[in-house]
PDB file of all heavy atoms in Angstrom:
ATOM      1  N   GLN A 256     -48.217  45.204  -9.323  1.00 96.00           N
ATOM      2  CA  GLN A 256     -49.536  44.819  -9.400  1.00 96.00           C
ATOM      3  C   GLN A 256     -49.719  43.723 -10.537  1.00 96.00           C
ATOM      4  O   GLN A 256     -49.091  43.799 -11.606  1.00 96.00           O
ATOM      5  CB  GLN A 256     -50.463  46.071  -9.792  1.00 96.00           C
ATOM      6  CG  GLN A 256     -50.359  47.101  -8.690  1.00 96.00           C
ATOM      7  CD  GLN A 256     -51.215  48.269  -9.053  1.00 96.00           C
ATOM      8  OE1 GLN A 256     -52.145  48.164  -9.787  1.00 96.00           O
ATOM      9  NE2 GLN A 256     -50.819  49.477  -8.631  1.00 96.00           N
ATOM     10  N   ASP A 257     -50.542  42.762 -10.208  1.00 93.00           N
ATOM     11  CA  ASP A 257     -50.829  41.647 -11.153  1.00 93.00           C
ATOM     12  C   ASP A 257     -51.326  42.108 -12.420  1.00 93.00           C
ATOM     13  O   ASP A 257     -51.063  41.531 -13.492  1.00 93.00           O
ATOM     14  CB  ASP A 257     -51.826  40.663 -10.621  1.00 93.00           C
ATOM     15  CG  ASP A 257     -51.146  39.816  -9.424  1.00 93.00           C
ATOM     16  OD1 ASP A 257     -49.852  39.697  -9.203  1.00 93.00           O
ATOM     17  OD2 ASP A 257     -51.937  39.115  -8.494  1.00 93.00           O
ATOM     18  N   ASP A 258     -52.128  43.112 -12.475  1.00 95.00           N
ATOM     19  CA  ASP A 258     -52.692  43.651 -13.603  1.00 95.00           C
ATOM     20  C   ASP A 258     -51.592  44.374 -14.556  1.00 95.00           C
ATOM     21  O   ASP A 258     -51.941  44.447 -15.825  1.00 95.00           O
ATOM     22  CB  ASP A 258     -53.899  44.764 -13.333  1.00 95.00           C
ATOM     23  CG  ASP A 258     -55.170  44.146 -12.770  1.00 95.00           C
ATOM     24  OD1 ASP A 258     -55.148  42.823 -12.871  1.00 95.00           O
ATOM     25  OD2 ASP A 258     -55.861  44.900 -12.189  1.00 95.00           O
ATOM     26  N   ILE A 259     -50.511  44.747 -14.001  1.00 96.00           N
ATOM     27  CA  ILE A 259     -49.428  45.243 -14.748  1.00 96.00           C
ATOM     28  C   ILE A 259     -48.435  44.141 -15.139  1.00 96.00           C
ATOM     29  O   ILE A 259     -48.098  43.939 -16.329  1.00 96.00           O
ATOM     30  CB  ILE A 259     -48.519  46.414 -13.927  1.00 96.00           C
ATOM     31  CG1 ILE A 259     -49.511  47.396 -13.467  1.00 96.00           C
ATOM     32  CG2 ILE A 259     -47.410  46.941 -14.762  1.00 96.00           C
ATOM     33  CD1 ILE A 259     -50.051  48.274 -14.643  1.00 96.00           C
ATOM     34  N   GLY A 260     -48.068  43.276 -14.204  1.00 94.00           N
ATOM     35  CA  GLY A 260     -47.239  42.104 -14.433  1.00 94.00           C
ATOM     36  C   GLY A 260     -46.263  41.946 -13.400  1.00 94.00           C
ATOM     37  O   GLY A 260     -45.817  43.037 -12.786  1.00 94.00           O
ATOM     38  N   SER A 261     -45.822  40.705 -13.163  1.00 94.00           N
ATOM     39  CA  SER A 261     -44.919  40.446 -12.031  1.00 94.00           C
ATOM     40  C   SER A 261     -43.496  41.041 -12.297  1.00 94.00           C
ATOM     41  O   SER A 261     -43.032  41.011 -13.510  1.00 94.00           O
ATOM     42  CB  SER A 261     -44.771  38.899 -11.970  1.00 94.00           C
ATOM     43  OG  SER A 261     -46.075  38.283 -11.559  1.00 94.00           O
ATOM     44  N   GLY A 262     -42.884  41.649 -11.315  1.00 95.00           N
ATOM     45  CA  GLY A 262     -41.653  42.119 -11.503  1.00 95.00           C
ATOM     46  C   GLY A 262     -41.518  43.533 -12.107  1.00 95.00           C
ATOM     47  O   GLY A 262     -40.482  43.940 -12.516  1.00 95.00           O
ATOM     48  N   LEU A 263     -42.733  44.109 -12.390  1.00 96.00           N
ATOM     49  CA  LEU A 263     -42.673  45.469 -13.067  1.00 96.00           C
ATOM     50  C   LEU A 263     -43.274  46.501 -11.940  1.00 96.00           C
ATOM     51  O   LEU A 263     -44.312  46.393 -11.505  1.00 96.00           O
ATOM     52  CB  LEU A 263     -43.638  45.436 -14.234  1.00 96.00           C
ATOM     53  CG  LEU A 263     -43.280  44.383 -15.336  1.00 96.00           C
ATOM     54  CD1 LEU A 263     -44.293  44.313 -16.413  1.00 96.00           C
ATOM     55  CD2 LEU A 263     -41.881  44.634 -15.903  1.00 96.00           C
ATOM     56  N   VAL A 264     -42.314  47.416 -11.661  1.00 97.00           N
ATOM     57  CA  VAL A 264     -42.550  48.450 -10.604  1.00 97.00           C
ATOM     58  C   VAL A 264     -43.183  49.630 -11.013  1.00 97.00           C
ATOM     59  O   VAL A 264     -42.847  50.285 -11.999  1.00 97.00           O
ATOM     60  CB  VAL A 264     -41.139  48.698  -9.965  1.00 97.00           C
ATOM     61  CG1 VAL A 264     -41.254  49.729  -8.767  1.00 97.00           C
ATOM     62  CG2 VAL A 264     -40.355  47.399  -9.538  1.00 97.00           C
ATOM     63  N   LEU A 265     -44.276  49.974 -10.049  1.00 97.00           N
ATOM     64  CA  LEU A 265     -44.834  51.310 -10.293  1.00 97.00           C
ATOM     65  C   LEU A 265     -44.293  52.282  -9.161  1.00 97.00           C
ATOM     66  O   LEU A 265     -44.535  51.921  -7.985  1.00 97.00           O
ATOM     67  CB  LEU A 265     -46.384  51.113 -10.154  1.00 97.00           C
ATOM     68  CG  LEU A 265     -47.125  50.387 -11.245  1.00 97.00           C
ATOM     69  CD1 LEU A 265     -48.600  50.252 -10.900  1.00 97.00           C
ATOM     70  CD2 LEU A 265     -47.019  51.034 -12.728  1.00 97.00           C
ATOM     71  N   TRP A 266     -43.669  53.275  -9.526  1.00 98.00           N
ATOM     72  CA  TRP A 266     -43.180  54.274  -8.573  1.00 98.00           C
ATOM     73  C   TRP A 266     -44.244  55.267  -8.218  1.00 98.00           C
ATOM     74  O   TRP A 266     -44.674  55.932  -9.055  1.00 98.00           O
ATOM     75  CB  TRP A 266     -41.914  55.080  -9.117  1.00 98.00           C
ATOM     76  CG  TRP A 266     -40.753  54.089  -9.313  1.00 98.00           C
ATOM     77  CD1 TRP A 266     -40.484  53.328 -10.236  1.00 98.00           C
ATOM     78  CD2 TRP A 266     -39.607  54.151  -8.468  1.00 98.00           C
ATOM     79  NE1 TRP A 266     -39.261  52.532 -10.107  1.00 98.00           N
ATOM     80  CE2 TRP A 266     -38.742  53.181  -9.056  1.00 98.00           C
ATOM     81  CE3 TRP A 266     -39.186  54.730  -7.266  1.00 98.00           C
ATOM     82  CZ2 TRP A 266     -37.466  52.881  -8.546  1.00 98.00           C
ATOM     83  CZ3 TRP A 266     -38.027  54.556  -6.821  1.00 98.00           C
ATOM     84  CH2 TRP A 266     -37.067  53.624  -7.346  1.00 98.00           C
ATOM     85  N   HIS A 267     -44.685  55.261  -7.006  1.00 98.00           N
ATOM     86  CA  HIS A 267     -45.752  56.184  -6.566  1.00 98.00           C
ATOM     87  C   HIS A 267     -45.105  57.571  -6.303  1.00 98.00           C
ATOM     88  O   HIS A 267     -43.937  57.707  -6.256  1.00 98.00           O
ATOM     89  CB  HIS A 267     -46.350  55.701  -5.261  1.00 98.00           C
ATOM     90  CG  HIS A 267     -47.259  54.445  -5.454  1.00 98.00           C
ATOM     91  ND1 HIS A 267     -48.178  54.065  -4.547  1.00 98.00           N
ATOM     92  CD2 HIS A 267     -47.165  53.530  -6.367  1.00 98.00           C
ATOM     93  CE1 HIS A 267     -48.761  52.893  -5.027  1.00 98.00           C
ATOM     94  NE2 HIS A 267     -48.186  52.546  -6.153  1.00 98.00           N
TER      95      HIS A 267
END
Side-chain angles (χ1 to χ4, degrees):
Q256 303 178 24
D257 289 340
D258 290 344
I259 302 294
S261 299
L263 302 174
V264 181
L265 297 174
W266 292 75
H267 293 202

